[in-house]
Amino acid sequence: MKLSTQNLLGIRNLNPEDIQLILSTAQQFKDVLQRPVKKVPSLRDVTIVNLFYENSTRTRMSFELAEKRLSADTLNFAVSNSSTSKGETLLDTVNNILSMKVDMVVMRHSASGAPHFLAKHIPAAIINAGDGINEHPTQALLDAFSILEKKKKLKGLKVAIIGDILHSRVALSNIYLLTKMGAEVMVAGPPTLIPKYIKEALGVHVTYHVSEALAWCDVANVLRIQLERQNQPLFSSLREYNLVYGIKKDMVDKLKKEIIIMHPGPINRGVEIDSDVADGPHSIILNQVENGVAIRMAVLYLLANREN
Amino acid sequence: MKAILTEEQMALSIKRLTRQVAENHLLLENTVLIGIQPRGIFLSSRMVDELKNLMPHENIKYGKLDITFYRDDVRTELKLANTTDIPFDIENKNVVIIDDVLWTGRTIRAALDALLDFGRPAKVELCVLIDRRFTRQLPIQPDYVGRTIDTFADQKVVVHWQETFGKDEVLLV
């Protein structure tokens, strides 16, 4: 039993069996994380570099912790204090790192497709930790894992993804994963932040009314407004965004069903989601963070085995 | 293909193994039984049932251990993990590890490593249904053996269980 791919570039390249394998392996690692000794020796001869060309708190710490829990050796690279500022190219940087005998590369980059480019040119296993506005596969996997913990199944489940769909790699990875596993997806947000042909291209429902999405869904995944990727005004103000598209407590309270509220973080409180919802009983935001370590352990473990 | 143990022999061997363990661990007070996933747990479950018949008042501590993440060949061969379930403390306990076939000894090496992550047992013993003699790659020997056999490296010992195969038997293939 193994993955059909040697790199994790995106959910797009995975088949449902791969996703199932990662999720079930993650369950075993979650058990490991409950033990007194939260560490196993599986990857003790594997060296992994965390190459972060873009800021990150959760993902970088989660990957580093996952690597340490698997007994791998880790190297951390932050672009701000590296030779990238002296003009070294991505490929040169990675080739230099690999000549120090590194087996796997975890990479976040602001350019979509950067990990795909690397995968074509270097022999190490590459794990995409977020590339531009393309994909963030481990986030989608941990989201699915967290949903499964609460709802026990993905097939037939209704998941609403609410917010900045256009600039969100979390949204794209989630849409790929959920539709591959048989869930229904609805995207909601301002028309300027939803790609025009997303319905035709990805087979999702589209609404411009958050209340409609909430009434429809079993799970609401709320996304951050990615101001850093918007080079033109796409809505008038954060305050107006909150008034029209923000998730507020009374909207969740008046639903006649129990829904799950998720958020990949970092949260902009009072913009896309209000504090009393983010910290409320429906929220599983911190469970998502906890499950992230188990998911990343599963991905690293399954990709460490390379028969070549 | 050659039968090593028939259904009747297997039942007798399991009864004997259970009694031997009980003999050495009177009252089982400080003893825990741990079956190795995935195939060792068929033997360990039978032994636990047998022990319950033997001493119905004893509270038998029984756990399951998966050693997948402790294997030394992760880089060459990927195995799927099973559930580990050890719902008690093994610190200062006498642990009896139970597996179906002892061959190279590498699984037991991994199991010893895994056990240490759960605590420091007072003593660890090994109980196997089949001991393939002269095939060890590590200095590991069993304390309780159902049947010792001589095999060539290219032969396979197959243990069938009622639960999965519909019939108990041990074959040399």
Side-chain angles (χ1 to χ4, degrees):
Chain A
M1 199 71 178
K2 52 191 234 176
L3 294 177
S4 67
T5 167
Q6 303 241 308
N7 305 292
L8 181 65
L9 300 177
I11 302 294
R12 188 180 183 167
N13 319 84
L14 299 182
N15 56 45
E17 293 74 37
D18 293 330
I19 295 168
Q20 196 51 56
L21 177 60
I22 295 170
L23 294 175
S24 58
T25 308
Q27 183 55 53
Q28 306 305 338
F29 281 118
K30 183 153 185 182
D31 290 346
V32 169
L33 294 172
Q34 317 293 330
R35 294 180 194 168
V37 176
K38 300 171 184 56
K39 189 167 175 157
V40 290
S42 306
L43 301 193
R44 85 197 120 191
D45 56 344
V46 177
T47 309
I48 304 173
V49 61
N50 298 315
L51 209 56
F52 278 72
Y53 281 89
E54 215 183 49
N55 294 336
S56 168
T57 311
R58 258 159 307 276
T59 307
R60 191 173 55 77
M61 288 179 68
S62 181
F63 264 112
E64 192 176 347
L65 202 52
E67 289 151 9
K68 290 185 166 156
R69 299 284 196 225
L70 287 166
S71 307
D73 292 317
T74 65
L75 275 170
N76 285 306
F77 171 101
V79 71
S80 50
N81 48 18
S82 70
S83 279
T84 307
S85 54
K86 299 178 191 164
E88 192 175 45
T89 65
L90 172 63
L91 194 53
D92 281 342
T93 304
V94 174
N95 272 327
N96 276 278
I97 293 170
L98 290 186
S99 61
M100 297 183 234
K101 306 281 180 245
V102 170
D103 305 290
M104 301 174 91
V105 178
V106 174
M107 186 170 79
R108 167 167 289 191
H109 203 285
S110 56
S112 303
H116 306 70
F117 163 77
L118 267 195
K120 271 190 209 138
H121 291 97
I122 63 166
I126 295 180
I127 294 163
N128 182 359
D131 63 324
I133 59 167
N134 180 36
E135 279 220 51
H136 190 352
T138 54
Q139 180 70 43
L141 287 161
L142 74 89
D143 286 347
F145 187 87
S146 306
I147 295 173
L148 272 175
E149 274 189 334
K150 298 285 171 193
K151 296 283 185 186
K152 309 295 174 217
K153 62 173 175 82
L154 292 174
K155 199 172 168 60
L157 209 65
K158 292 174 172 171
V159 182
I161 303 175
I162 300 168
D164 185 351
I165 310 297
L166 181 63
H167 300 99
S168 173
R169 52 197 175 208
V170 177
L172 189 58
S173 285
N174 260 289
I175 290 169
Y176 279 136
L177 191 152
L178 291 166
T179 49
K180 280 181 191 207
M181 301 309 278
E184 270 190 87
V185 180
M186 179 182 279
V187 295
T192 46
L193 293 179
I194 294 183
K196 203 170 174 190
Y197 296 107
I198 190 165
K199 188 177 174 187
E200 292 77 4
L202 298 172
V204 298
H205 308 283
V206 177
T207 178
Y208 303 124
H209 304 283
V210 171
S211 52
E212 189 186 317
L214 288 178
W216 174 84
C217 73
D218 305 306
V219 177
N221 199 347
V222 187
L223 306 177
R224 183 176 62 91
I225 294 299
Q226 312 228 344
L227 287 175
E228 76 274 23
R229 296 189 211 284
Q230 300 179 6
N231 46 19
Q232 55 179 328
L234 293 167
F235 51 90
S236 42
S237 72
L238 288 176
R239 187 177 129 75
E240 188 190 288
Y241 182 87
N242 177 254
L243 285 174
V244 184
Y245 300 102
I247 309 294
K248 295 169 209 72
K249 187 161 183 293
D250 62 318
M251 298 164 80
V252 181
D253 285 347
K254 79 177 177 213
L255 296 173
K256 292 183 191 68
K257 57 181 180 180
E258 291 291 305
I259 66 164
I260 297 177
I261 304 277
M262 303 170 63
H263 193 299
I267 304 178
N268 285 330
R269 287 171 182 267
V271 182
E272 69 271 7
I273 188 167
D274 284 4
S275 281
D276 42 10
V277 180
D279 306 329
H282 301 285
S283 160
I284 58 163
I285 295 173
L286 291 176
N287 301 49
Q288 290 174 265
V289 180
E290 182 191 348
N291 293 334
V293 179
I295 280 288
R296 286 168 181 128
M297 285 172 83
V299 167
L300 292 164
Y301 174 77
L302 292 169
L303 288 176
N305 160 272
R306 285 165 78 84
E307 286 146 17
N308 53 9
Chain B
M1 202 185 327
K2 187 175 174 310
I4 298 172
L5 291 179
T6 63
E7 190 142 21
E8 295 76 23
Q9 288 171 316
M10 216 160 136
L12 285 170
S13 292
I14 293 172
K15 275 205 166 76
R16 173 171 56 78
L17 286 174
T18 311
R19 278 167 172 72
Q20 283 179 335
V21 170
E23 189 183 3
N24 283 354
H25 298 267
L26 274 180
L27 297 177
L28 293 176
E29 249 173 13
N30 217 21
T31 300
V32 304
L33 304 177
I34 293 193
I36 304 293
Q37 288 270 32
R39 285 185 297 272
I41 58 161
F42 295 111
L43 175 61
S44 58
S45 302
R46 299 283 178 93
M47 289 180 63
V48 169
D49 289 344
E50 200 67 44
L51 277 173
K52 281 179 183 156
N53 289 333
L54 213 57
M55 33 181 101
H57 303 299
E58 294 307 321
N59 174 22
I60 297 160
K61 291 202 176 68
Y62 169 43
K64 296 169 185 166
L65 178 66
D66 182 83
I67 55 102
T68 310
F69 300 138
Y70 294 84
R71 290 162 57 99
D72 53 13
D73 54 358
V74 173
R75 295 296 286 277
T76 49
E77 192 187 356
L78 202 59
K79 292 269 170 85
L80 278 194
N82 290 287
T83 315
T84 292
D85 177 25
I86 303 183
F88 43 76
D89 193 7
I90 64 162
E91 191 80 20
N92 281 326
K93 294 281 192 299
N94 298 315
V95 177
V96 182
I97 297 178
I98 300 168
D99 205 358
D100 59 350
V101 181
L102 177 59
W103 183 20
T104 61
R106 285 184 190 266
T107 300
I108 302 305
R109 197 282 310 154
L112 289 170
D113 263 7
L115 269 187
L116 287 179
D117 282 355
F118 288 86
R120 181 180 183 274
K123 183 180 182 184
V124 183
E125 291 181 328
L126 175 59
C127 169
V128 295
L129 185 60
I130 303 293
D131 173 15
R132 295 182 67 172
R133 208 153 53 137
F134 308 130
T135 54
R136 219 75 80 236
Q137 294 168 0
L138 294 167
I140 282 168
Q141 297 307 329
D143 298 281
Y144 310 97
V145 183
R147 176 70 60 98
T148 305
I149 57 168
D150 291 342
T151 55
F152 292 112
D154 60 354
Q155 288 175 312
K156 261 182 91 171
V157 175
V158 180
V159 183
H160 287 143
W161 295 96
Q162 191 79 46
E163 292 90 325
T164 49
F165 191 72
K167 176 180 179 189
D168 288 346
E169 62 181 352
V170 182
L171 303 172
L172 184 64
V173 184

